[in-house]
Amino acid sequence: MSKVLAALAVSVDGYITGRDSGPDRGLGDAPMLFDWYFDGDTPSQVFDGFKLSAPSAAMFDALAGRVGAVIAGHKTYVDSSHFGGGSPHAKAPLVVLSHGPVAEISEQQTLANTIEDAVAAARDIAGGKDVGMMGGGAVTAALKAGLVDELVLHQVPILLGGGRPFFQELPEHVRLSLVEAVPAPGVTHLHYAVVR
């Protein structure tokens, strides 16, 4: 069965955006969370336009190449201008998780109202490949439901002091086992398996 993985750029103090993020404002005052996508000399084999350091490219492409569908929460979807009617991943369709109506959902996107339905739809679309996740709320909901298999923190060495946190409150501890730690210029990639 395909795995569910969440891999997001995050500050050392746990934020995935800065202050004042939103539609047409991107990551708010924290665009440096994505600098490592573009500050190297190794082109990504999965994402056109990304030029990463060699260690980041190896880690990023290995993970991105596994993904056959992506789940994004409603806030991430809105703040990302609906991904232009497509997906944040060039080769993986998008499932939007929302508890209410969603504006501008396209024929290339799928809507789901619960995290369980979103994961089921994404697995079906992924055709045996893994499911990627975006957004703190969506990832937290999937962790609460016991649906996340792997977690990757692309940890950028900065304390933002505010913004949108990666994780929201969980009802209990979630134990992790370190699979791999890859230091790279401007980022450290921490790959964990969720212990069940």
Side-chain angles (χ1 to χ4, degrees), residues 4-10 16 33-34 36-37 47 50 59-67 69-71 76 88-89 131-136 138-139 143 148-155 166-167 187-192:
V4 175
L5 66 99
L8 294 175
V10 60
I16 56 175
L33 290 177
F34 287 173
W36 61 277
Y37 289 156
F47 280 69
F50 283 25
M59 173 72 136
F60 181 83
D61 283 352
L63 290 169
R66 292 172 42 188
V67 174
V70 176
I71 297 169
T76 300
H89 192 296
V131 173
M133 295 201 68
M134 298 181 67
V139 173
L143 285 166
V148 178
D149 299 297
E150 297 178 26
L151 191 62
V152 180
L153 306 178
H154 301 295
Q155 192 176 69
F166 189 170
F167 302 104
V187 63
T188 301
H189 308 282
L190 303 169
H191 183 180
Y192 297 97

Side-chain angles (χ1 to χ4, degrees), residues 135-192:
V139 173
T140 301
L143 285 166
K144 285 179 181 177
L147 295 171
V148 178
D149 299 297
E150 297 178 26
L151 191 62
V152 180
L153 306 178
H154 301 295
Q155 192 176 69
V156 177
I158 190 166
L159 299 170
L160 292 177
R164 188 175 318 141
F166 189 170
F167 302 104
Q168 299 168 14
E169 186 173 335
L170 292 165
E172 58 189 29
H173 297 169
V174 176
R175 296 203 179 272
L176 305 173
S177 174
L178 184 64
V179 174
E180 184 179 24
V182 177
V187 63
T188 301
H189 308 282
L190 303 169
H191 183 180
Y192 297 97

Side-chain angles (χ1 to χ4, degrees), residues 3-167:
K3 292 186 176 181
V4 175
L5 66 99
L8 294 175
V10 60
S11 67
V12 171
D13 53 348
Y15 293 99
I16 56 175
T17 74
R19 295 171 187 85
D20 198 33
S21 64
D24 302 319
R25 295 190 305 275
L27 297 173
D29 68 354
M32 74 289 294
L33 290 177
F34 287 173
D35 284 353
W36 61 277
Y37 289 156
F38 308 104
D39 63 4
D41 55 10
T42 305
S44 169
Q45 300 302 302
V46 181
F47 280 69
D48 289 339
F50 283 25
K51 290 190 81 173
L52 309 105
S53 68
S56 288
M59 173 72 136
F60 181 83
D61 283 352
L63 290 169
R66 292 172 42 188
V67 174
V70 176
I71 297 169
H74 190 178
K75 180 109 175 96
T76 300
Y77 176 76
V78 170
D79 286 357
S80 300
S81 300
H82 313 120
F83 298 106
S87 173
H89 192 296
K91 300 175 182 173
L94 177 66
V95 176
V96 180
L97 172 63
S98 179
H99 301 296
V102 175
E104 298 184 34
I105 197 96
S106 78
E107 292 178 6
Q108 290 83 34
Q109 300 167 335
T110 302
L111 179 62
N113 298 115
T114 68
I115 190 60
E116 293 82 3
D117 289 345
V119 169
R123 280 192 165 131
D124 187 51
I125 292 166
K129 293 187 89 173
D130 291 337
V131 173
M133 295 201 68
M134 298 181 67
V139 173
T140 301
L143 285 166
K144 285 179 181 177
L147 295 171
V148 178
D149 299 297
E150 297 178 26
L151 191 62
V152 180
L153 306 178
H154 301 295
Q155 192 176 69
V156 177
I158 190 166
L159 299 170
L160 292 177
R164 188 175 318 141
F166 189 170
F167 302 104

